[in-house]
Amino acid sequence: MTLHLTDTHCHIHEALAPVNMSDQMRRLPDPRHSIQDALDAGVDRMICVGTTVEDSVLAVQFAQDQPHVWASIGIHPHEASKYMDNPLALQKFAALATQSQVVAVGECGLDYFYTHSPKGDQERILRFQLELAQKHGLPLIFHVRDAFDDFWPIFDEYQGLRGVIHSFSATEKELAQILKRDVYVGLNGIMTFTKKPAQLDAARAVPLDRLLLETDAPFLTPAPYRGSICEPKHVRVTAEFLANARREPLEQLADATTSNAERLFKLKDN
Ligand SMILES: [Zn+2]
């Protein structure tokens, strides 16, 4: 069966970072090999997602070099404090929005689980990115952890925003809030190993026309491959798991999630 799956959220470009690489990043596979393995598994579209200004530059360069790859530019809520007094870095970041292959802004959002940056800093950097996306008509990739109550009132202040809640792992209550807006739900390997029935109930309840698949590679490797580094090819395992859990034919799930990704991110073959 020929499938056409899309990994709407990965960080494989980080293996190419020249400096400040953590030991984990040093062990990442060559991203060009990851792309080939993904193609062999039927995953033929990938979005590389930035988490800092430098990392976003890298994602854009990588996407411009590689077929099958697009980029999203983002400042992760963990990194917000770093940019509070750095207007030049933010200016450089904003200029990336018009580069070729850039299809989204994010990952951005609020993370109150770790709160690596103070809440006020997170909000300011989130608003900066909401305004950038609005100005350029780009969709957003959101990271929201334990922070939906603060997130939605901010989101609702802006007109015409579209996007995805990436790595969704909350319950049907949070899902209902998403479905009221022009926002998609991104599911990844967490679903294959979660022990929380409420997370799976929510995953089953996502309407097919609002569902996106992702890996968050190199993190969140799906079962039964826990312990190995996650790569875009693993979207297939998550797709198989979800097709089974949602009682949908795999091909239908693949086709729908890929056309959802094409619609949200306006992916054109490159
Ligand atoms: Zn991510």
Side-chain angles (χ1 to χ4, degrees), residues 187-252:
L187 295 180
N188 59 35
I190 290 175
M191 294 302 136
T192 67
F193 58 79
T194 180
K195 303 267 189 292
K196 296 181 183 159
Q199 290 181 339
L200 284 177
D201 288 344
R204 283 189 200 97
V206 180
L208 189 54
D209 63 358
R210 300 290 281 277
L211 182 59
L212 297 177
L213 300 180
E214 58 169 65
T215 56
D216 209 14
F219 310 107
L220 302 175
T221 315
Y225 301 102
R226 303 291 296 151
S228 61
I229 290 177
C230 187
E231 295 181 75
K233 67 180 177 189
H234 289 118
V235 158
R236 180 154 186 154
V237 185
T238 299
E240 287 167 355
F241 177 89
L242 287 172
N244 189 42
R246 292 165 54 90
R247 300 176 194 283
E248 282 158 353
L250 178 58
E251 208 163 10
Q252 187 188 357

Side-chain angles (χ1 to χ4, degrees), residues 9-11 49 51 76 107 143 166 216-217 219:
H9 192 117
C10 69
H11 301 280
V49 177
T51 54
H76 196 284
E107 53 184 297
H143 170 110
H166 127 79
D216 209 14
F219 310 107

Side-chain angles (χ1 to χ4, degrees), residues 161-181:
L161 297 185
R162 301 169 302 126
V164 54
I165 300 291
H166 127 79
S167 199
F168 181 73
S169 53
T171 69
E172 288 182 77
K173 182 177 149 251
E174 288 80 15
L175 176 63
Q177 291 297 314
I178 296 175
L179 297 178
K180 278 193 217 163
R181 281 109 177 161

Side-chain angles (χ1 to χ4, degrees), residues 98-119:
T98 53
Q99 290 270 313
S100 67
Q101 300 302 112
V102 173
V103 294
V105 175
E107 53 184 297
C108 57
L110 302 173
D111 190 316
Y112 294 176
F113 182 78
Y114 290 110
T115 323
H116 286 327
S117 287
K119 290 181 178 180

